[in-house]
Amino acid sequence: MRIFTPLVMFLLGTSLFAQNSSNQATWQQRVDYKINVTLNDSDHVLYGFETMTYYNNSPVALTEIFIHLWPNAYINAETPFARQHIENGKTDFYFAKPSERGRIDSLTFRVNGEIVKAELIAGSYEICRLSLNKPLGSHTKIDITTPFRVYIPKVFSRLGHEDQLYCITQWYPKPAVFDVNGWNTMPYLDQGEFYSEFGKFDVSITLPKEYVIAATGDLQQPEERAWWMKKINNPNEPNPASGAFKTVRFIQDSVHDFAWFASQKFRVAKSEVRLKSGRTVDTWLFAEAKENKKEEPVKGVNYINDAITFYSDKVGEYPYKHATVVVTPLEAGGGMEYPTITNVAIANRQVIVHEVGHNWFYGILGTNERNHPWMDESINNYYESRSTYQSKVATHPSLGMAFKSGSFSMDNIAGSSFGLLELQYLVSARNNTDQAPIIHSEEFTDLNYGTIVYSKASLAFLQLQRYLGDDVFDNMMRSYYAKWKFKHPLPNDFRQHAESFTGKNLSWFFDGLMGTEIKPDYAIQSVKRVGDSLQVTVKNKGGIPAPFAVQTLNNDSILTERWLDGFTGNKKVTLPAKLANAVAVDAREESIDAFRQNNRARTSGLLKTVRPLSFSMIGNTENPYKKQVYYAPIMGANMYNKFMLGLAFYNSILPRTKTEFTLAPMFAFGTKDLTGYFSVQRRIFTHGFIREVQVGVDMARFGTRLNTSNQILTYDSLNAPIYGDRILTSVYEKLVPRIRFIFQKSNPRTDADKDLTVRMMMINEQPATKVLFNNFKNHNSFVDVKYTHAQNRKLNPYSFSLNYQFGNAQSTFQKINAEFNAFVDFGEKKKGLNFRAFAGVFLQKPTEGRDARAYYRVAQNNGYFDYTYDESQFGRGENDFNTSTLFTQQMMPFGSCFRTYAPGLGETDSWLAAANLTSTIPGILPIKVFVDVAAINTKTINTDGNTGAVTMVYQANLHYVSGLSVWMFKDVLQVNFPIFADPNTQNLWKLNNSYGQRMTFTLKLNKLNPLKAIRELNML
Ligand SMILES: [Zn+2]
């Protein structure tokens, strides 16, 4: 959110109206802070008094000043922070007790001693407007004072306490930045960081004496430092007796924020780094004592030293006297940066280097992180990854430039942080759900905030570094630092600096890699040997004209290398043929390329660009230079085939590929024949209102049991057939060509998943045969068209679907089904009401008898009626009331979803409507109460006793059942105990021999398909 003051707009004219003016002004405001604060550690409350000296260095007079009151982000579940938390799938804060929330109050703002009008802007608890009694002229200053009280929340994000460990961040009233874009006001958010004015902080913290306190800035009490030093040598150094308070003071100039952390249990580790200039920086690490992690603080402090040395060398010298890391619980990522101090949840090298590195990209180069997360997170993450990359080269000098062949083997991922970043980027890119790195922080999906801001953009900076050359890149960044340190560079400031320093047009970088979600993809089209050279045709299939390297290879060794400027279309490149047996685009994997599968070709042979096949057991990451087929043993079982054992073959799962297949043949020990399934699909990425089109075929073959009427049972003495009903152990085979359209989301954070699937289902059911697809021409055919709209948000999700089905050839009918599902919570985690509604009607009635399985039924939807064979089942043919088995009572998730088994309650080729309610019971989690109601236009066949004439009678009936339901294994298994029902249902119950025969269960085995779940990111 950004607010312009009318006066400023008037004085500065139209340049300020630009929504996103991207060159910073030459002036900059300054705020100096003096804060006295006292911690009450029994109520978790801060009592403070703050003086802000505000220097108006702008060319205009200010009539108002906007102040951030970020602790109010925790005041209730309606704040932008709370709403974003829920959107990101986190409900802890939403369901928190009032006592666990937080707020800031007791504010009385005075300017130079006089009370001023202070009011929250409309719709916000966190942005306060001070209306100055008289304008603050250009190049003048004022003192703004206020008392304040902060109720510290539990740790839900950054500010918080975990018992008596305090993380005091984003905690005091703080002016918004006023710059070329006007007032940059913003609510506190979890995803999306901050933007603050530089100045000097002088903070005095009063708290019980036994606390160890770590903070931004230089400690002013030598006795406090002496106590820390004692703790280093003797971790059991006793804390002073309680009861007394102390005041500890910290001072720091040239920073834009102040954070502090306090605990009675902090252990201390200290080291120091000598910089090239000769200056020394103290490095400190504070962590609560943990029984089994005695060495951790000592190791962690060395990582701080690594970071200070690396960034000082590559970017610019660390300007402060100390750098501190505190290990604390944190719910906003692995770590969070503050000037000279950072807190981390995990004290590993990666997190510590990253967070300490933020002293440069955020701390010293004070960018607007909220609007331009790439300017701090991406650049900083790039340097953090580069520091690991360097150390890999250092430890394996024989590898030269860390040549990563087939970088996605686990070994290489562990060794190269960029390899892991590429995998993360591809998770989003190969799902066609990636976003451009330069958009605002709040616009990213939870996943893309990681895979794009951190991963893709870091890779883009690596590509820029390699293209420019390490020295040019490093000098460019060093001069950027020198020019903009302690200032607020905007995106265009960085771009102009980079382009003028290097003398290059970097549009491919800023407008291409950073500015779009276009997936870069160069491919080798052909290789021809002409004398001593190779004629290589490279095609730009992605569209971004980014520079890249081409190499000649001898097996995995690079012989020659050339960087080419980017182009669109095709380009012929001449490379030396000497010793080369392959050519490659970007063999070092230092450019972004979403499809490396086409990046290599052999220099001889017939099919130079065809990748060799590679079979391997249970692989899960990609080697793009081979056509990978993974295999894994699989088992299965059902009542007819009995135990089944086989092998599943599939290509890569993560990242996804354009063509995906699974082939899973199994040998069935019961029927001694081949069963299994096969699925293949081609994924086509599109732009516009459809995001992806999938074209595929599914096949399956398994055993079942068919109740077949009017079959030849035997022959009489005259050899005439005797007809009758019989139950056959049978087989079904299914062949389903399909096309699926996945719709684009206009807001990828909040929009529902929408798709339209059209399937042509060819299903053949026949007596058991060992011949695959025997007599398949006798199949039933259905066309199934389904539109699904699923709002899969964490809070109150809902979905609906519309399904049109028609049978052709041997089965002719048409029906339409509509279904709605919703969950409404009761204000407590996992407690709430499931609601389902269903309505279905036949537009064209099915053939009598033959297609009766397509009828609507009230209380008999077991596996036998899954005539489309869409549900995974153990006993799909079990329907005989007299010989019923357990699986007779397994209900399918369609139609009425009545939770009792009562065959005879009615079926119809007319219409059915149903509603199903399931509610949690206070106190008992897995047990729920249910009520099912169904209205059905029941069809009855009447035969006249005298004439034998058959008439159909339709009558609308209402049925209901209610009882208890137990949901287990993440709701995969639901067991239902009916208690009450309408009189008709109760009469049918009486025919049962036991209570068990009226119970039902559902088993959602389709939920357990791990390949599908991983591919479609349902598990992430
Ligand atoms: Zn970061």
Side-chain angles (χ1 to χ4, degrees):
M1 188 167 184
R2 185 170 292 125
I3 291 163
F4 301 99
T5 55
L7 184 64
V8 169
M9 288 194 292
F10 173 72
L11 288 172
L12 290 188
T14 50
S15 71
L16 263 181
F17 288 99
Q19 255 298 308
N20 212 339
S21 179
S22 48
N23 280 97
Q24 190 53 272
T26 51
W27 49 265
Q28 181 170 304
Q29 309 294 68
R30 176 184 175 97
V31 188
D32 290 341
Y33 298 82
K34 201 167 183 337
I35 305 174
N36 293 301
V37 64
T38 302
L39 168 69
N40 174 334
D41 71 340
S42 45
D43 299 336
H44 312 301
V45 179
L46 298 174
Y47 297 91
F49 189 87
E50 178 181 19
T51 304
M52 298 166 255
T53 306
Y54 190 98
Y55 297 80
N56 179 15
N57 298 329
S58 80
V60 298
L62 299 174
T63 56
E64 51 191 9
I65 288 177
F66 288 87
I67 306 278
H68 289 142
L69 305 172
W70 285 327
N72 274 348
Y74 305 94
I75 200 166
N76 61 37
E78 305 295 316
T79 63
F81 155 74
R83 289 200 301 266
Q84 187 194 56
H85 226 223
I86 292 163
E87 281 176 17
N88 283 350
K90 299 173 196 161
T91 54
D92 288 21
F93 183 73
Y94 177 81
F95 291 116
K97 289 181 235 153
S99 64
E100 294 171 340
R101 293 187 175 153
R103 65 176 193 272
I104 183 167
D105 61 14
S106 308
L107 298 152
T108 307
F109 287 97
R110 289 170 196 269
V111 169
N112 293 339
E114 281 176 43
I115 290 209
V116 291
K117 186 176 160 201
E119 59 190 344
L120 293 173
I121 68 160
S124 174
Y125 295 97
E126 302 164 62
I127 302 164
C128 174
R129 178 197 283 116
L130 300 188
S131 303
L132 302 180
N133 295 341
K134 58 176 190 239
L136 172 61
S138 180
H139 299 292
T140 55
K141 63 171 183 174
I142 44 173
D143 281 341
I144 306 166
T145 61
T146 184
F148 63 95
R149 176 172 66 178
V150 175
Y151 285 85
I152 305 165
K154 254 189 64 183
V155 177
F156 294 106
S157 178
R158 300 181 180 98
L159 165 66
H161 73 93
E162 204 85 328
D163 300 320
Q164 288 178 318
L165 169 64
Y166 294 93
C167 304
I168 309 302
T169 60
Q170 276 86 28
W171 57 286
Y172 54 91
K174 185 177 195 180
V177 171
F178 181 73
D179 69 2
V180 68
N181 290 313
W183 286 103
N184 294 264
T185 61
M186 56 187 75
Y188 175 88
L189 289 178
D190 201 60
Q191 176 185 315
E193 295 177 334
F194 312 97
Y195 186 33
S196 307
E197 302 286 13
F198 283 94
K200 180 178 177 181
F201 285 79
D202 178 346
V203 180
S204 297
I205 301 158
T206 303
L207 74 180
K209 246 186 150 171
E210 56 270 30
Y211 277 87
V212 179
I213 175 166
T216 297
D218 297 327
L219 173 66
Q220 302 297 306
Q221 277 78 7
E223 66 276 15
E224 196 72 9
R225 184 185 165 107
W227 183 45
W228 292 355
M229 296 306 284
K230 271 196 211 163
K231 281 186 165 292
I232 294 168
N233 299 325
N234 177 13
N236 299 321
E237 162 72 17
N239 290 333
S242 61
F245 278 72
K246 64 181 173 189
T247 298
V248 187
R249 188 175 174 202
F250 297 88
I251 297 177
Q252 184 66 60
D253 199 356
S254 302
V255 290
H256 53 64
D257 201 4
F258 187 98
W260 56 280
F261 305 85
S263 165
Q264 301 168 34
K265 297 181 199 156
F266 277 151
R267 283 162 51 93
V268 185
K270 185 188 175 297
S271 182
E272 60 179 40
V273 190
R274 181 173 278 267
L275 301 173
K276 277 185 183 157
S277 69
R279 277 183 52 236
T280 304
V281 177
D282 286 344
T283 51
W284 299 90
L285 191 133
F286 295 78
E288 285 199 337
K290 285 208 181 75
E291 288 296 319
N292 51 355
K293 290 190 177 171
K294 290 214 167 77
E295 292 311 309
E296 202 176 68
V298 181
K299 235 166 104 187
V301 84
N302 293 332
Y303 303 145
I304 310 175
N305 297 350
D306 287 355
I308 299 282
T309 308
F310 182 78
Y311 281 78
S312 290
D313 179 38
K314 292 286 179 283
V315 186
E317 183 169 288
Y318 187 71
Y320 310 113
K321 287 188 193 142
H322 74 95
T324 303
V325 168
V326 186
V327 184
T328 69
L330 185 73
E331 295 293 331
M336 181 62 200
E337 62 277 10
Y338 298 94
T340 77
I341 191 164
T342 163
N343 64 324
V344 299
I346 316 149
N348 66 25
R349 186 184 189 280
Q350 187 196 5
V351 176
I352 288 180
V353 170
H354 181 102
E355 301 309 330
V356 172
H358 271 302
N359 275 296
W360 281 261
F361 299 99
Y362 145 84
I364 302 161
L365 294 152
T367 51
N368 182 335
E369 307 173 279
R370 179 64 56 88
N371 289 358
H372 315 296
W374 69 269
M375 294 190 79
D376 65 301
E377 286 306 345
S378 304
I379 300 178
N380 181 48
N381 200 67
Y382 151 76
Y383 276 109
E384 170 232 305
S385 306
R386 189 175 154 186
S387 80
T388 316
Y389 202 36
Q390 289 238 327
S391 63
K392 187 192 169 196
V393 176
T395 52
H396 300 285
S398 62
L399 284 178
M401 298 292 284
F403 175 46
K404 310 175 295 156
S405 168
S407 65
F408 289 138
S409 82
M410 272 312 182
D411 283 357
N412 282 318
I413 282 177
S416 157
S417 43
F418 285 111
L420 184 58
L421 295 178
E422 179 161 314
L423 176 59
Q424 289 163 349
Y425 161 60
L426 292 181
V427 166
S428 286
R430 299 260 195 93
N431 217 30
N432 204 18
T433 51
D434 51 328
Q435 293 169 286
I438 55 155
I439 62 175
H440 288 206
S441 58
E442 307 110 286
E443 294 174 275
F444 287 100
T445 62
D446 192 24
L447 179 70
N448 283 347
Y449 194 66
T451 60
I452 302 301
V453 178
Y454 291 73
S455 308
K456 182 191 178 184
S458 292
L459 295 164
F461 273 90
L462 174 67
Q463 186 167 350
L464 182 64
Q465 174 205 333
R466 291 306 198 207
Y467 163 68
L468 293 174
D470 297 4
D471 288 346
V472 173
F473 179 87
D474 287 341
N475 287 334
M476 182 271 286
M477 291 303 289
R478 285 184 196 116
S479 62
Y480 169 64
Y481 173 90
K483 186 174 175 186
W484 286 99
K485 63 181 173 182
F486 310 120
K487 294 197 178 105
H488 299 307
L490 287 167
N492 212 37
D493 296 317
F494 180 78
R495 179 178 182 158
Q496 280 176 0
H497 173 78
E499 291 192 327
S500 70
F501 187 91
T502 60
K504 299 216 184 252
N505 178 346
L506 300 177
S507 175
W508 61 270
F509 177 82
F510 291 103
D511 304 320
L513 299 181
M514 299 295 287
T516 69
E517 67 279 337
I518 294 171
K519 294 152 209 28
D521 179 19
Y522 281 108
I524 293 182
Q525 292 282 94
S526 64
V527 183
K528 237 192 308 183
R529 191 183 281 265
V530 183
D532 283 348
S533 42
L534 297 166
Q535 292 272 336
V536 183
T537 306
V538 182
K539 181 178 184 178
N540 185 347
K541 295 179 81 173
I544 296 176
F548 63 100
V550 284
Q551 290 95 352
T552 56
L553 307 178
N554 186 298
N555 299 326
D556 272 351
S557 305
I558 294 174
L559 301 172
T560 64
E561 175 171 45
R562 246 175 83 192
W563 271 87
L564 302 177
D565 276 322
F567 56 85
T568 53
N570 289 355
K571 189 168 186 167
K572 280 201 170 28
V573 187
T574 307
L575 297 173
K578 196 182 169 192
L579 295 177
N581 60 11
V583 292
V585 161
D586 188 29
R588 296 185 200 277
E589 302 189 353
E590 292 173 340
S591 304
I592 303 184
D593 194 321
F595 300 96
R596 296 196 184 280
Q597 284 83 346
N598 48 28
N599 280 18
R600 287 196 189 183
R602 287 178 292 279
T603 57
S604 59
L606 269 179
L607 304 161
K608 297 191 189 85
T609 54
V610 171
R611 294 174 298 156
L613 261 183
S614 124
F615 281 89
S616 55
M617 181 127 160
I618 319 182
N620 52 15
T621 52
E622 181 175 278
N623 177 347
Y625 309 120
K626 298 216 164 120
K627 240 188 176 43
Q628 286 169 297
V629 177
Y630 299 110
Y631 57 89
I634 48 164
M635 293 183 295
N638 65 46
M639 289 188 65
Y640 320 106
N641 298 117
K642 310 296 180 197
F643 179 66
M644 294 175 280
L645 189 65
L647 271 182
F649 299 89
Y650 54 95
N651 62 348
S652 62
I653 303 173
L654 259 187
R656 299 183 75 175
T657 49
K658 284 180 175 171
T659 303
E660 294 173 335
F661 73 84
T662 310
L663 171 65
M666 288 186 276
F667 179 77
F669 286 86
T671 46
K672 301 212 165 26
D673 65 340
L674 203 60
T675 61
Y677 56 90
F678 169 68
S679 175
V680 63
Q681 67 176 3
R682 179 77 181 169
R683 303 166 59 236
I684 302 146
F685 293 163
T686 47
H687 295 284
F689 81 107
I690 290 168
R691 190 186 85 214
E692 179 178 333
V693 181
Q694 297 174 346
V695 182
V697 178
D698 299 321
M699 292 169 79
R701 173 190 158 93
F702 287 102
T704 181
R705 197 161 74 158
L706 295 173
N707 187 349
T708 321
S709 58
N710 216 21
Q711 296 285 308
I712 298 169
L713 292 181
T714 182
Y715 297 88
D716 65 11
S717 53
L718 298 170
N719 220 16
I722 295 172
Y723 291 88
D725 296 353
R726 69 172 177 182
I727 291 165
L728 295 167
T729 295
S730 329
V731 66
Y732 79 88
E733 286 167 330
K734 180 175 173 179
L735 175 64
V736 185
R738 61 176 157 80
I739 184 164
R740 181 174 175 219
F741 303 91
I742 300 172
F743 296 99
Q744 188 66 269
K745 297 177 178 187
S746 55
N747 182 342
R749 287 183 55 80
T750 52
D751 280 6
D753 292 312
K754 287 170 266 187
D755 80 275
L756 177 74
T757 305
V758 180
R759 297 185 296 164
M760 169 77 192
M761 294 192 273
M762 291 177 268
I763 297 161
N764 195 23
E765 300 160 322
Q766 59 180 323
T769 165
K770 292 186 168 50
V771 186
L772 304 187
F773 286 80
N774 189 27
N775 289 325
F776 192 74
K777 59 181 187 298
N778 294 332
H779 64 258
N780 290 338
S781 300
F782 312 101
V783 172
D784 186 274
V785 183
K786 189 172 189 180
Y787 174 77
T788 307
H789 174 116
Q791 176 50 274
N792 292 315
R793 63 190 177 205
K794 197 79 176 184
L795 218 56
N796 301 336
Y798 69 86
S799 65
F800 62 84
S801 65
L802 202 59
N803 171 222
Y804 170 69
Q805 204 176 66
F806 70 91
N808 60 9
Q810 301 179 31
S811 319
T812 45
F813 66 83
Q814 292 183 66
K815 75 203 252 196
I816 286 185
N817 299 322
E819 185 174 333
F820 176 78
N821 278 286
F823 178 80
V824 182
D825 73 77
F826 292 156
E828 238 183 297
K829 221 169 195 177
K830 288 183 178 169
K831 300 279 175 73
L833 187 74
N834 281 84
F835 174 73
R836 177 181 178 273
F838 173 86
V841 63
F842 277 95
L843 304 178
Q844 182 187 351
K845 292 186 193 309
T847 320
E848 193 67 46
R850 181 183 166 111
D851 294 313
R853 280 200 291 165
Y855 285 8
Y856 296 114
R857 289 174 181 79
V858 177
Q860 201 186 350
N861 282 326
N862 59 25
Y864 179 72
F865 298 105
D866 177 26
Y867 61 98
T868 58
Y869 291 85
D870 279 335
E871 302 297 323
S872 302
Q873 294 185 50
F874 284 118
R876 66 168 57 252
E878 303 308 293
N879 187 41
D880 190 275
F881 186 63
N882 299 311
T883 62
S884 70
T885 61
L886 176 66
F887 295 105
T888 312
Q889 282 140 282
Q890 179 183 356
M891 296 298 116
M892 298 292 110
F894 50 66
S896 67
C897 283
F898 233 52
R899 275 166 279 192
T900 186
Y901 183 62
L905 198 56
E907 58 180 23
T908 190
D909 55 6
S910 175
W911 57 261
L912 177 130
N916 314 87
L917 283 168
T918 314
S919 172
T920 54
I921 307 169
I924 341 169
L925 252 190
I927 302 176
K928 307 185 184 204
V929 186
F930 72 81
V931 179
D932 298 327
V933 182
I936 180 170
N937 200 22
T938 314
K939 173 183 180 177
T940 320
I941 303 171
N942 286 340
T943 312
D944 189 300
N946 299 321
T947 64
V950 173
T951 48
M952 308 286 176
V953 180
Y954 288 91
Q955 193 192 349
N957 289 316
L958 190 72
H959 302 286
Y960 58 86
V961 63
S962 176
L964 297 175
S965 182
V966 185
W967 292 26
M968 287 168 282
F969 310 114
K970 294 197 163 183
D971 305 344
V972 167
L973 175 64
Q974 302 173 8
V975 183
N976 308 306
F977 302 86
I979 299 169
F980 306 105
D982 63 289
N984 285 332
T985 306
Q986 291 197 26
N987 284 337
L988 287 166
W989 281 354
K990 284 176 195 146
L991 299 175
N992 291 341
N993 297 323
S994 67
Y995 177 82
Q997 284 177 314
R998 67 176 84 149
M999 285 169 57
T1000 64
F1001 70 96
T1002 57
L1003 192 56
K1004 295 183 178 166
L1005 292 177
N1006 289 12
K1007 268 189 158 185
L1008 298 180
N1009 183 343
L1011 283 184
K1012 192 170 183 289
I1014 295 170
R1015 277 178 176 155
E1016 295 181 1
L1017 301 177
N1018 292 338
M1019 293 175 95
L1020 293 178

